Amino acid sequence: MILTRNKIDRLTALWNAEVIDLKTALEENNISIEINQDDLKYLIIKLCELRLDLDDSISDNIDI
């Protein structure tokens, strides 16, 4: 599988069922992943942003 910024954006979009299929495929199969350094950096930044969004959502719910 070649992982690109476009694929990363699709997988990190809200309500994307494709991510469930990909997670299952990665867990059940030995899939080789190719990614260039710029896209890997983009992926890490995207994961950090998602984590911060999750933390903000949790914090907002605790404050209610």
Side-chain angles (χ1 to χ4, degrees):
M1 172 188 0
I2 298 174
L3 197 53
T4 63
R5 285 182 186 209
N6 186 30
K7 179 92 172 170
I8 293 165
D9 285 339
R10 279 198 333 266
L11 292 172
T12 57
L14 290 177
W15 313 114
N16 184 345
E18 182 182 359
V19 77
I20 296 167
D21 296 336
L22 176 61
K23 179 182 179 291
T24 301
L26 289 172
E27 289 174 341
E28 295 176 356
N29 302 294
N30 186 15
I31 297 174
S32 176
I33 299 173
E34 295 178 28
I35 187 169
N36 67 42
Q37 289 294 309
D38 287 337
D39 290 344
L40 178 58
K41 180 180 176 182
Y42 182 78
L43 174 61
I44 293 169
I45 290 169
K46 201 69 158 159
L47 290 172
C48 291
E49 289 171 351
L50 289 169
R51 179 60 208 212
L52 290 172
D53 289 346
L54 176 62
D55 289 348
D56 288 344
S57 293
I58 292 169
S59 177
D60 289 346
N61 286 332
I62 290 173
D63 292 340
I64 293 178

